[in-house]
Amino acid sequence: MTGNLGIRDASGDVAALGELAAAALTFDAAEAPRLVARLAAPPADRRWTALATPDLDAAVITSVSTRAPSIGHIDLLAVDPGARGAGRGRALVEAAQEWLRGEGVTTVRVAGNPPCYAWPGIDVRYTAAACLFESLGYEREQVAWNMTADLSTAACDERALADDVERLAGKGVAVLAAGPGERAAVGAFVREEWNESWAWEAEQATGCHYASRDGEIIGFAAWGARPAWFGPMGTAPAARGLGVGGVLLRRCLAEMRAAGLASAQISWVGPLRFYSGVVGARAERVFWLYRRDLR
């Protein structure tokens, strides 16, 4: 128990936390329960907890970075609209900070904790949340953005991919879906070329596709490791310039379209021109990333 609010561990209340998040997070209500479920099933070596008020009208999910154990993350904060104005959000963030201190954390970030995260940071439209963290001494350190791809366009139609897949085949490159039997090989490729975080996402993703030449994987793209979002993706340096990345991107977006999605979020984007040029994606959601040293 923490303070007068009786804050408690709620790590086992995943369904109730999902309902709370759906009520509180107005710009993410539809996928909020799946986000909570994702945060509650991170890599096995992640230290995390969920803290909540007794009636579950406010909660926070917090975790420790695996790559940098001195860094903690506030992953999600939700306060029911009917319970706002009574200091619940502030009390929960302070309780999360105390839990993180107990785990040896010296710096807290309000930013995505790859590979299992909800958002890159605070969506700027959640202004009250940004104000709360700033009042608690958090400093804005970065800006990140997502792009949105309209899946109704011809670029995301599986039939429109046939010519490009055939073109790659003429260069000895096969574009394939990574079923259960291929996920480990794709994960090993991603781990070697990039990092463990991307490998975990590729292995956990709803859909994953890869390109192979002479029996070796040279590129991959995945979606759904973070519900309804595209990414990560990458092409080995030796295979760049063949157009592999564009075909893998479109193959994933076509699969998302076939799954009934109308649009895809491309998360934490770096190469704006690539996504804009290949599928007409537009920069849309903007996130502020915050940081505070614990003293």
Side-chain angles (χ1 to χ4, degrees):
M1 305 289 262
T2 303
N4 295 328
L5 289 177
I7 293 171
R8 64 178 178 83
D9 187 311
S11 303
D13 299 320
V14 176
L17 290 172
E19 292 176 5
L20 167 63
L25 302 170
T26 54
F27 300 112
D28 299 277
E31 64 173 357
R34 287 182 294 159
L35 284 180
V36 170
R38 177 74 285 176
L39 291 173
D45 57 352
R46 174 169 294 184
R47 290 174 285 155
W48 72 280
T49 192
L51 303 172
T53 52
D55 294 332
L56 268 174
D57 54 9
V60 65
I61 297 177
T62 187
S63 63
V64 180
S65 171
T66 303
R67 292 180 295 179
S70 65
I71 297 177
H73 291 259
I74 303 294
D75 297 305
L76 184 148
L77 176 66
V79 180
D80 187 273
R84 292 174 184 168
R88 287 172 172 79
R90 178 178 293 270
L92 282 163
V93 173
E94 290 174 343
Q97 291 173 169
E98 285 306 307
W99 184 86
L100 290 168
R101 279 193 182 96
E103 296 294 317
V105 165
T106 58
T107 299
V108 183
R109 302 188 73 212
V110 187
N113 185 6
C116 183
Y117 64 97
W119 306 277
I122 297 175
D123 186 316
V124 299
R125 297 172 296 177
Y126 291 122
T127 307
C131 291
L132 169 62
F133 282 101
E134 290 185 6
S135 74
L136 286 167
Y138 286 78
E139 297 182 355
R140 199 182 312 163
E141 62 171 351
Q142 294 179 38
V143 177
W145 51 85
N146 283 7
M147 298 182 80
T148 301
D150 180 356
L151 300 183
S152 69
T153 65
C156 302
D157 188 333
E158 178 67 34
R159 293 168 297 182
L161 276 165
D163 289 344
D164 288 327
V165 171
E166 186 177 348
R167 173 182 57 80
L168 288 177
K171 298 178 181 180
V173 176
V175 178
L176 305 163
E182 294 79 33
R183 288 295 179 99
V186 172
F189 162 73
V190 177
R191 196 170 283 111
E192 180 178 352
E193 292 288 342
W194 290 280
N195 54 61
E196 178 64 36
S197 291
W198 277 20
W200 186 87
E201 289 185 84
E203 291 166 348
Q204 297 290 318
T206 302
C208 182
H209 297 262
Y210 67 99
S212 176
R213 181 174 59 184
D214 297 328
E216 294 186 3
I217 298 174
I218 59 173
F220 84 104
W223 70 274
R226 194 276 191 198
W229 286 18
F230 170 81
M233 70 167 292
T235 303
R240 289 173 188 166
L242 296 174
V244 168
V247 173
L248 288 170
L249 165 63
R250 292 171 59 205
R251 174 59 61 80
C252 281
L253 296 188
E255 189 171 65
M256 296 174 78
R257 170 173 164 166
L261 297 172
S263 65
Q265 288 282 301
I266 305 171
S267 177
W268 225 323
V269 172
L272 284 169
R273 289 187 296 171
F274 169 74
Y275 291 110
S276 177
V278 174
V279 293
R282 62 188 184 277
E284 189 169 56
R285 296 190 74 172
V286 178
F287 302 88
W288 288 331
L289 283 63
Y290 285 90
R291 180 187 188 102
R292 177 191 167 176
D293 292 332
L294 292 180
R295 295 180 177 83

